[in-house]
């Protein structure tokens, strides 16, 4: 059985309701308990609230414990590895930031500060929540880890120049973005990706190999630690809405307008990348899903840290950066269910594309017809 056939657990199926409740609870607390936001903001790491930092680690660590790091070498040695990575870089480094910039200008021409915040979000590629969405949509976990690591490495050197170019050179965002330093980016990536990634690698290697507990790790530890990622996600959402829910209610017109380019961006990037994965790179469904969520997601913790450090905590740029994850969470959760619903159609079309374009028998092209769809075999088959 392919990974895409795995059924959602009860916690996964209830996630939309739980996220809605988390958003409502967080907003109500932020609205009617004024001191709550002050208390949560009393400590910070890398310009991000300490409770948010805890939540990010809480939701990323369990997912990274599931990645089969020992199989990454064989994946990278595959002849299609360069194509997958190059396609991801093209989408995430070039196309996605330009599309967000265009949408920000088209929808926020009279709100320069909010527009700059949206552009900062578009330039920051996702290295955290994409792991959750990819897991729920049954994407390829190993390739997701690889692409996240590649995006993180690229952001170390390119986020500052790209943010400045799009916000100042093209966007006329003012002088503030000149102060975006490489250290802000390096610090954010090392903290928000480096810590949970190192924890996931060490946990897997120590428990599975050094302690020789492979069976216990796979059958006991992972089923226990896995649901913690979604609990961490719900906790993070509650904290985010406590911190910003009242601010959004107070400035609801600008918040709604800021949401417009973000909504368009998520939809455009997800569906266009999925279509390109099918018709251009001819990728199996799990990899197509991974590419799509990697393209649609954004590194909100980096964008918020840069906006706060550059423009100030109470700036409109920081406000727009915060709107990003509040819109992204429910939208990308919806896209998880869209992706699962499109699996059969994707696989049928992939079988046709491989048969017509490559001129080979579908089975020889790396797919096996099953129940009207295809199941990936060989190097790209994902684990349970």
């Amino acid at each position: 059985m392919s990974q895409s056939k795995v059924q959602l657990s009860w916690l996964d199926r209830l996630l939309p309701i739980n996220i809605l409740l988390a958003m409502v609870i967080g907003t109500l607390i932020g609205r009617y308990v004024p001191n709550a936001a002050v208390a949560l903001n009393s400590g910070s790491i890398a310009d991000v609230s300490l409770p948010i930092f805890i939540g990010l680690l809480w939701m990323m660590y369990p997912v990274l414990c599931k990645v089969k790091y020992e199989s990454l070498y064989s994946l990278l040695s595959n002849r299609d590895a360069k194509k997958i990575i190059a396609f991801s870089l093209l989408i995430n480094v070039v196309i996605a930031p330009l599309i967000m910039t265009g949408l920000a200008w088209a929808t926020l021409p009279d709100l320069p500060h909010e527009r700059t915040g949206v552009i900062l979000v578009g330039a920051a590629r996702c290295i955290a929540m994409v792991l959750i969405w990819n897991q729920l949509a049954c994407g390829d976990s190993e390739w997701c880890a690889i692409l996240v690591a590649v995006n993180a490495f690229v952001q170390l050197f390119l986020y500052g120049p790209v943010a400045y170019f799009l916000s100042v050179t093209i966007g006329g965002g003012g002088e503030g973005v000149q102060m975006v330093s490489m250290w802000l980016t390096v610090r954010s990536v090392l903290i928000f990706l480096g810590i949970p990634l190192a924890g996931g690698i060490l946990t897997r290697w120590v428990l599975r190999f050094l302690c020789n507990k492979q069976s216990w790790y796979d059958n006991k530890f992972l089923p226990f630690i896995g649901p913690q990622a979604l609990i961490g996600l719900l906790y993070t959402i509650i904290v985010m809405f406590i911190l910003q829910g009242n601010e959004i209610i107070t400035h609801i017109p600008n918040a709604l307008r800021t949401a417009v380019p973000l909504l368009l961006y998520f939809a455009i990037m997800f569906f266009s990348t999925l279509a390109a994965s099918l018709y251009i790179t001819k990728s199996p469904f799990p990899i197509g899903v991974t590419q799509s969520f990697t393209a649609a997601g954004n590194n909100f913790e980096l964008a918020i840290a840069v906006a706060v450090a550059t423009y100030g905590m109470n700036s409109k740029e920081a406000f727009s950066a915060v709107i990003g994850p509040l819109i992204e969470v429910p939208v990308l959760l919806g896209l998880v269910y869209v992706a699962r619903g499109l699996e059969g159609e994707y696989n049928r079309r992939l079988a046709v594309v491989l048969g017509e374009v490559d001129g080979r028998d579908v089975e020889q092209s790396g797919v096996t017809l099953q129940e009207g769809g295809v199941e990936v075999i060989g190097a790209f088959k994902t684990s349970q």
Side-chain angles (χ1 to χ4, degrees), residues 253-335:
N254 282 3
L256 292 176
R257 287 197 58 187
T258 303
V260 172
L262 294 169
L263 288 170
L264 293 173
Y265 171 85
F266 296 140
I268 291 172
M269 291 309 304
F270 179 84
F271 289 108
S272 62
T273 303
L274 192 64
S277 298
L278 172 60
Y279 292 109
I280 298 178
T281 64
K282 298 185 285 293
S283 299
F285 178 78
I287 295 179
V289 166
T290 298
Q291 294 278 25
S292 299
F293 279 105
T294 304
N298 295 101
N299 186 350
F300 73 84
E301 58 271 19
L302 174 58
I304 292 173
V306 169
V308 169
T310 304
Y311 298 101
M313 174 66 73
N314 298 319
S315 65
K316 294 180 180 179
E317 289 83 358
F319 173 75
S320 295
V322 170
I323 294 293
L326 304 185
I327 300 298
E328 177 178 325
V329 168
V331 171
L332 292 195
L333 176 63
L335 290 176

Side-chain angles (χ1 to χ4, degrees), residues 32 79 82 164 174 179 205 349:
Y32 297 106
R79 61 185 178 86
K82 291 182 179 179
Y164 177 79
M179 300 171 61
W205 280 93
R349 290 177 180 268

Side-chain angles (χ1 to χ4, degrees), residues 118-197:
V118 170
I119 291 173
L120 290 177
V121 171
R125 311 315 306 147
C126 192
I127 61 173
M129 284 192 174
V130 64
L131 297 168
I132 296 288
W133 311 131
N134 182 75
Q135 174 183 264
L136 291 173
C138 295
D140 190 301
S141 58
E142 281 74 41
W143 268 112
C144 188
I146 292 173
L147 297 182
V148 162
V150 169
N151 281 333
F153 180 77
V154 169
Q155 285 184 100
L156 293 178
F157 305 99
L158 292 184
Y159 181 77
V162 169
Y164 177 79
F165 176 74
L166 295 177
S167 298
V168 177
T169 306
I170 293 181
E175 299 298 320
V177 183
Q178 296 184 60
M179 300 171 61
V180 175
S181 68
M182 181 176 291
W183 168 239
L184 281 175
T185 311
V186 172
R187 180 186 65 179
S188 178
V189 171
L190 289 178
I191 291 175
F192 296 113
L193 176 63
I195 292 177
L197 179 61

Side-chain angles (χ1 to χ4, degrees), residues 40-71:
L40 292 175
N41 267 326
S42 60
S44 65
I45 294 180
D47 297 311
V48 173
S49 167
L50 180 60
I52 292 288
F53 168 75
I54 293 173
L56 291 173
L57 297 189
W58 189 354
M59 70 182 187
M60 291 175 66
Y61 170 72
V63 179
L64 291 170
C65 284
K66 293 183 177 182
V67 175
K68 293 187 174 183
Y69 299 99
E70 62 274 15
S71 68

Side-chain angles (χ1 to χ4, degrees), residues 365-377:
S365 300
V367 295
T368 302
L369 290 176
Q370 282 192 353
E371 300 176 359
V374 294
E375 180 178 354
V376 182
I377 62 175

